[in-house]
Amino acid sequence: MKSSLHTRLFLLLTATALVPLLVVGGVLDHYLHDVHEDSGRQATRDALQELTTNLRTQTEDLGSVASQLARMEPVVASLNLLSRYQDPEDPRPLIFEPEKKKLARHLQEVVLTTAATTACIRQADGQLAAVVYPDREGQGLKRAITRRTEEGSRILIRRADGEWREAPEGSLPFETDAGPIGPAPFAPTYRVRGEELVQSVRRPVELALGGEGSERVGMLRLGVAMGEEAIARRAAATELDFALFGPSGRLILGPDGVPDPLADGNEPPPLAGDADGGTRMGENYLTRTRSLVDEKGETFHLSVLYDRALFTRELTAARWVIGGALLLALLLVLPASLGFFRGGFARPLREVMAGVAAFRRGEYDYRIPELGAHETDQLGQAMNQMAQEVSEREQALRETEARLAYLAHHDPLTDLPNRLQLQARLGEVMEADDGAAIPAAVLFLDLDRFKNINDSLGHPIGDELLQAVAVRLQGALPADATLARVGGDEFMVVLASLPDRAAVEEVAERLLTVLGSDAFEVQGYNLGVDASIGISLYPEDATDAPTLIRNADSAMFQAKAAGSNQFRFYTRALTEVADQRRRLEMDLRRATEQGQLHLVYQPQVELGSGKPAGMEALVRWQHPELGPISPGEFIPVAEETHLILQVGDWVLREACRNFQAMRSSGVTWGRLAVNISAVQVQHGDLVAQVRAALAESGLPADCLELEVTEAVFAGEAALQTFYGLRDLGVQLAVDDFGTGFSSLAYLKYMPVQRLKIDQSFVRDMLEDSADRAIVRSVITLGRSLSLSVIAEGVETRELEAALLEEGCREAQGFYYARPLPPAELEAWIAERGRPGRDEPAGG
C-alpha cells in the first residue's frame, strides 16, 4: 500500500532529525569515551607524580631525623662503648646490654614521634645493636636488642610486661650481622617485606676525634613500611588501586587481574625519574607503571591502577546526561519542523507532482501554477521551462542521432565512407540474390612518402591534401565503386561486377595515373603524390571481408617494395611468406627461452705475424626441427619485433662470461668484439646492460669492444650512449664501414677507436681498382684520425698480402679460421703453437 505525502514527509523529517542526532550522539559518545580515558590516564599520571613527590619529601624528613639522632651524644656514646670495648670473644657481654636498651628507647621515641615505622642501630662491625619495629599482630611497637654468647648472638625482645626475653632467630625484620659498615654513600633505598614496600634511609654515627677528624662507630637506619592504603594516601589517590610486582613478575600486593607490567617487553621508567612512560589498557584496569631497585639490586615494579568499573560508571552517567539532552532536543525540534514543512511544502509539492504526472503522460502543454515566493515555485517554473524544451530537444536529438549515424560510417575529414561502411558494402557485394558469388575486387591504396609532407609542412596542409586526393580518386572510379578512407594516408576501393582481371588492372592504372598526372596545389605548394596499390579478388583470393582486406594490404606492401607508383595482385605466396615470418618470430621467442641459441667465435689476427689480436662473438640458432638458421634470416626479424633487446643482452653476457673464462685459463686474446644492434642503442639501456655484463663476468672493460653500424650514429641519444660506454672503458668499432652514410663528422665527435672495412670491398679489391681505392682510403682515413683499421672477409693469401701492402695491420676471415665454438677454438690455438698463451714462470 502506498503511503500519503504527509506520511512520507513525516517519516522523512523524523529520519532527518534522528540521523543528525544519532551522529551527534555517536560523536559525543566517542568524545566522552576519549575524555574519560584521558581522565584516567591523567589520574594515574598525577598519582605517580604525587607519590614521587611525597616519597622524596618523606626521604628528606627521615634523613633529617636520622641525622639528628645520629648526632645525639647518648647514641654516639653508647655506640662508641659497644664498638670500642665489647670484645667479640667475651662470653660475658651483659654489661653492654643496658647501653643497647638505651638505644632501643631512643629508637622507640623516634618511631613514635615521626613517620618512621622501623628503626635499627648497628655497631661498626655490622652487628645489630637495637631495633624497633611494629608488632605483626597489631599490638604496638616492639623493642629488641642482641646478646652475644658463646654460642653466638641471641635476640632479646621486650614483652608487654616489661621483661626482656630471648626470641628465636629470624623473628626480627633485620639481619643480626650485616658485616662491617663500608664507606658506601647512604642514599635512600627500597625493599619489599611481606606485602609492604619499605623506604629506608641510613646515616652513619661518628665520634668526633678533635682536630683529627672522626671515627665511624655505627650506623642508624630509619624506614617507613607502606602497604597499598599507605601508598594510596601518599599518592593522594584513594580511589585508585596500587600493585607491586617482584622481579619474576609475581604479584606482591594489589588486587587480582592486574596486567603484567612487562607484557609488552618494555622496561618502565624509574620511580624517582622524570620520564612519563605510558599507560596500558588491560581487561580490568588502566595501568601506569614505574620501576624501583631494592638494596640487593633486584628490580620491582609499582603500578597505579585505574579501575575500568569506575571508568564505566562515569562514562555511563555522562551518556545518560547526553542522551537525555538529545532526546529533549528531538521532542522540541521535530513537531515544530513537521508543522513548518506541512504548511510550507505540502501544497506546493502536490502541485509540482501533478505537473510531473502530466509531463510523464506527455502532456507538455500543462503548466504548473505559480506557488508564491518559494523554492517550489522556482521548481514549478523550471519544470514548465523543461517541458517547453523537451519538444525542442527531441527534435535536436533526432537530428543528432542522424548525424552520429552518418559519422559512424563516414570519415569526418574527407566525407568518404570509413572502414565500417566499406566492410558492410563489401558484404553486400559478396551476397548475390540467387546465392551465387559475384566477382569483386578490393584495392588497398597507400600514399607514398605522405609522412614527409606532414612532418615538413604540417598536418593542416596534409589534411587538405588528403581531401583533394579523395576528390580526385572519386572522379576516376566507376559509378558503382565504393571509395573509403581507412587510415591516415590509406584508402580502399570496392569494385563490383567487374568482368575480368584486366578490368581491375585498368582501374588500378587509372587511379595511379590520375594521382601522378598533375601536382596538387595546397596553400601555395605544388605537391606531387604517388601511391602503391594492392589488389585482392573475390572469390578467388578469399570469401570473407576481413581476409580480402588483409590480402589486399599484403599485396600493397609488395607493391611498395617494388618501388613507387606500382600495383600488385595478391598471391598465396605472400601469405606463405607472412606465415613463415610469423612462425620464425614465434620460434625465435621460444629459442631465447629454451636455450637454442649459442655463440661461435671468429679470431682476429695481426697481419704478417698471424698472432691472435682478438675474437668476434657471433650468435647462431640451432632450430630443433629446421636445423641451423642463418643470422641473416632471424636477426632482421629480431630487430623488427625488438626481440633483439633480449637476444642482444644474452649474447653480451654469454660472450663476456666465456671470454673471461678463457682469460682465467691463461689465454690472453687482447679483446672481445660483440655486435650491437641499432635497436639496442635506441630502445634499450645499453650502458646499464654492459655494466651488468662486465660485473657478472669479471671481464675488464678495456677487453670489450662493441661493433655498431654507421646507421646507429644518428641522434642525440646515440651520442649520450656511446659517451657513457666510453666512460666505462669499453672500446667502440664501426662495422661495415663505407656501406652506410659514412661521414667525417661523426668520426670527429663520436668516441670511436676502430674502423672495420666491409668485406664487400675487401673481397674484390684484387680485381676491382675502385674497391682497392676505397680500402686504401679507409686505411689512410683511419691512420689520419689515429683509428685502428681491421679488414673483414679475408679468404686468400693474396688478399692478406694486398692488405699488408696498403698498410692494414689486422684482419679476420675464412683464410684464418671460420667462426668456431669454444672447444674448437682451443684446438685452433694449439695448432698455431698456442700463440698468445702466457709463458710459464721462469721460462
Side-chain angles (χ1 to χ4, degrees):
M1 175 184 256
K2 293 185 178 180
S3 58
S4 65
L5 179 62
H6 287 87
T7 302
R8 293 196 299 272
L9 182 59
F10 174 77
L11 294 175
L12 175 62
L13 291 175
T14 302
T16 305
L18 280 176
V19 170
L21 289 176
L22 291 175
V23 172
V24 171
V27 172
L28 288 176
D29 183 75
H30 183 73
Y31 172 75
L32 289 173
H33 186 280
D34 290 344
V35 166
H36 283 81
E37 188 169 323
D38 291 342
S39 177
R41 290 191 175 94
Q42 187 62 40
T44 58
R45 183 184 298 110
D46 294 343
L48 281 175
Q49 290 177 352
E50 185 69 17
L51 177 61
T52 302
T53 301
N54 287 335
L55 289 178
R56 189 179 295 116
T57 302
Q58 180 173 276
T59 300
E60 295 173 355
D61 293 342
L62 289 177
S64 177
V65 172
S67 297
Q68 293 177 10
L69 183 59
R71 291 193 297 269
M72 290 178 61
E73 292 184 2
V75 174
V76 175
S78 296
L79 281 176
N80 182 46
L81 177 64
L82 294 171
S83 299
R84 283 180 176 272
Y85 302 106
Q86 184 180 16
D87 185 359
E89 304 298 331
D90 187 358
R92 298 169 298 169
L94 297 180
I95 60 174
F96 300 104
E97 289 182 5
E99 298 299 326
K100 294 182 179 180
K101 292 177 180 179
K102 290 179 184 180
L103 292 175
R105 282 197 300 273
H106 287 302
L107 294 180
Q108 184 178 18
E109 291 174 1
V110 169
V111 172
L112 290 174
T113 58
T114 66
T117 59
T118 60
C120 73
I121 291 180
R122 294 186 182 275
Q123 299 168 198
D125 60 358
Q127 286 290 328
L128 184 65
V131 60
V132 174
Y133 61 95
D135 183 54
R136 295 179 180 178
E137 298 177 357
Q139 297 180 2
L141 297 175
K142 284 189 176 183
R143 286 182 287 172
I145 62 173
T146 59
R147 170 187 293 172
R148 293 186 178 181
T149 65
E150 293 180 354
E151 291 80 12
S153 297
R154 302 294 187 190
I155 299 172
L156 296 181
I157 299 178
R158 189 177 185 274
R159 300 296 180 179
D161 55 4
E163 295 295 328
W164 293 81
R165 294 185 178 87
E166 288 190 4
E169 186 74 22
S171 58
L172 296 182
F174 301 98
E175 297 178 2
T176 57
D177 186 358
I181 301 173
F186 293 92
T189 60
Y190 293 90
R191 62 193 178 96
V192 176
R193 187 178 63 194
E195 295 185 355
E196 294 179 324
L197 176 65
V198 181
Q199 182 190 39
S200 302
V201 296
R202 295 177 296 174
R203 291 292 185 270
V205 180
E206 298 178 337
L207 176 65
L209 301 178
E212 298 179 359
S214 61
E215 178 183 354
R216 183 171 298 178
V217 294
M219 188 270 292
L220 172 66
R221 178 171 184 160
L222 299 181
V224 179
M226 298 172 287
E228 183 178 356
E229 294 183 0
I231 294 174
R233 287 196 303 273
R234 285 167 175 77
T238 56
E239 75 281 1
L240 301 180
D241 296 321
F242 291 83
L244 183 63
F245 294 87
S248 61
R250 179 180 60 87
L251 179 64
I252 297 174
L253 64 86
D256 296 331
V258 181
D260 185 355
L262 298 179
D264 57 359
N266 295 322
E267 179 68 26
L271 178 63
D274 297 328
D276 180 54
T279 58
R280 295 178 60 244
M281 179 63 79
E283 183 178 353
N284 300 317
Y285 298 97
L286 176 70
T287 64
R288 190 182 296 270
T289 304
R290 294 290 186 273
S291 64
L292 53 91
V293 181
D294 71 350
E295 299 173 348
K296 298 179 180 179
E298 295 182 339
T299 302
F300 291 76
H301 298 94
L302 179 64
S303 296
V304 57
L305 313 174
Y306 186 85
D307 197 339
R308 286 183 66 98
L310 177 61
F311 170 80
T312 303
R313 287 196 302 271
E314 294 178 354
L315 181 60
T316 301
R319 284 172 174 170
W320 276 108
V321 173
I322 295 299
L326 293 176
L327 180 61
L328 179 61
L330 178 63
L331 294 176
L332 292 176
V333 172
L334 185 58
S337 299
L338 183 59
F340 173 76
F341 276 98
R342 278 180 177 175
F345 288 93
R347 186 189 64 82
L349 284 177
R350 289 195 190 97
E351 295 292 345
V352 172
M353 293 306 296
V356 170
F359 298 152
R360 186 178 295 171
R361 294 191 299 269
E363 300 174 4
Y364 299 115
D365 295 335
Y366 181 88
R367 291 296 178 265
I368 299 173
E370 293 186 4
L371 302 174
H374 198 280
E375 287 81 355
T376 51
D377 180 64
Q378 299 177 10
L379 177 61
Q381 299 308 313
M383 293 189 68
N384 290 338
Q385 181 67 26
M386 180 181 66
Q388 182 177 349
E389 293 176 357
V390 165
S391 297
E392 299 174 359
R393 293 191 178 184
E394 281 186 344
Q395 179 62 30
L397 181 61
R398 286 191 290 270
E399 295 175 357
T400 301
E401 288 176 347
R403 178 60 180 167
L404 290 176
Y406 181 82
L407 292 177
H409 296 82
H410 289 78
D411 173 48
L413 178 64
T414 60
D415 209 30
L416 292 175
N418 59 12
R419 182 184 292 268
L420 182 63
Q421 185 174 352
L422 179 119
Q423 289 179 335
R425 171 60 180 157
L426 184 56
E428 295 173 358
V429 170
M430 292 188 299
E431 294 180 359
D433 293 339
D434 55 0
I438 300 177
V442 174
L443 282 67
F444 199 113
L445 185 147
D446 182 85
L447 302 183
D448 296 332
R449 298 175 298 281
F450 179 77
K451 184 177 182 299
N452 295 337
I453 296 176
N454 269 342
D455 293 342
S456 59
L457 302 180
H459 287 275
I461 292 180
D463 290 346
E464 190 172 337
L465 176 60
L466 287 173
Q467 293 172 338
V469 168
V471 172
R472 191 174 291 186
L473 290 176
Q474 189 71 61
L477 290 172
D480 60 348
T482 301
L483 173 65
R485 179 173 177 243
V486 295
D489 59 350
E490 297 174 342
F491 296 85
M492 289 182 62
V493 178
V494 174
L495 299 176
S497 304
L498 292 177
D500 51 28
R501 187 186 185 98
V504 178
E505 292 182 1
E506 180 182 349
V507 173
E509 290 175 348
R510 185 163 64 249
L511 292 177
L512 295 177
T513 301
V514 75
L515 286 178
S517 59
D518 296 318
F520 292 85
E521 186 175 349
V522 180
Q523 297 186 18
Y525 295 96
N526 290 323
L527 304 176
V529 175
D530 294 328
S532 300
I533 300 177
I535 306 170
S536 63
L537 302 176
Y538 171 80
E540 179 182 340
D541 296 329
T543 57
D544 61 275
T547 305
L548 274 173
I549 295 174
R550 185 169 60 250
N551 291 343
D553 188 15
S554 299
M556 183 273 295
F557 279 106
Q558 189 73 13
K560 190 177 287 289
S564 182
N565 219 37
Q566 300 288 328
F567 69 87
R568 290 290 185 272
F569 282 89
Y570 169 78
T571 62
R572 298 201 178 276
L574 293 177
T575 300
E576 294 174 359
V577 171
D579 289 344
Q580 291 175 358
R581 188 176 184 84
R582 281 193 297 270
R583 180 186 175 186
L584 189 65
E585 177 185 345
M586 291 187 295
D587 289 350
L588 183 58
R589 292 184 186 274
R590 286 193 292 268
T592 58
E593 299 170 357
Q594 298 176 0
Q596 299 175 13
L597 303 180
H598 65 277
L599 295 182
V600 294
Y601 301 89
Q602 185 171 33
Q604 298 172 338
V605 300
E606 296 177 0
L607 291 179
S609 67
K611 295 181 179 180
M615 66 174 69
E616 180 180 5
L618 301 170
V619 63
R620 295 293 184 263
W621 181 9
Q622 182 68 29
H623 194 283
E625 299 176 1
L626 303 179
I629 297 180
S630 168
E633 294 182 43
F634 70 84
I635 291 297
V637 175
E639 290 181 330
E640 180 181 341
T641 60
H642 285 196
L643 283 173
I644 194 66
L645 296 176
Q646 182 178 354
V647 173
D649 185 54
W650 177 85
V651 169
L652 181 64
R653 292 173 184 266
E654 184 71 7
C656 290
R657 185 183 65 80
N658 289 340
F659 192 72
Q660 180 61 18
M662 295 179 190
R663 294 180 76 252
S664 300
S665 66
V667 178
T668 55
W669 278 93
R671 65 178 179 270
L672 167 69
V674 179
N675 290 282
I676 297 298
S677 166
V679 178
Q680 292 176 264
V681 177
Q682 297 164 359
H683 299 282
D685 192 351
L686 184 59
V687 177
Q689 292 176 349
V690 172
R691 184 185 295 111
L694 293 174
E696 291 176 4
S697 62
L699 181 68
D702 58 358
C703 292
L704 178 63
E705 179 179 89
L706 300 182
E707 296 186 1
V708 295
T709 60
E710 297 168 83
V712 177
F713 290 100
E716 183 67 22
L719 182 64
Q720 295 177 357
T721 298
F722 294 139
Y723 273 101
L725 294 172
R726 183 199 64 180
D727 293 340
L728 290 179
V730 175
Q731 299 184 44
L732 195 66
V734 183
D735 196 13
D736 302 335
F737 185 78
T739 60
F741 48 90
S742 302
S743 170
L744 292 179
Y746 78 80
L747 290 178
K748 181 172 61 176
Y749 60 76
M750 282 291 183
V752 176
Q753 288 81 32
R754 196 178 314 278
L755 302 178
K756 292 193 70 174
I757 306 175
D758 187 66
Q759 60 182 343
S760 62
F761 303 125
V762 175
R763 185 182 300 113
D764 299 328
M765 64 179 291
L766 298 178
E767 294 80 16
D768 192 329
S769 60
D771 284 346
R772 183 157 188 160
I774 292 174
V775 171
R776 182 183 305 116
S777 299
V778 173
I779 296 172
T780 303
L781 175 64
R783 185 181 302 113
S784 301
L785 296 177
S786 299
L787 301 178
S788 301
V789 178
I790 182 172
E792 56 183 354
V794 179
E795 299 181 357
T796 64
R797 181 182 298 275
E798 290 75 16
L799 283 176
E800 180 186 50
L803 288 170
L804 275 172
E805 182 180 345
E806 297 296 342
C808 185
R809 293 293 176 264
E810 294 181 357
Q812 71 181 85
F814 288 175
Y815 176 67
Y816 307 105
R818 292 179 177 272
L820 303 171
E824 296 182 16
L825 193 61
E826 292 287 345
W828 183 84
I829 297 173
E831 291 176 1
R832 302 176 73 87
R834 305 182 68 82
R837 179 171 293 276
D838 296 334
E839 295 293 333

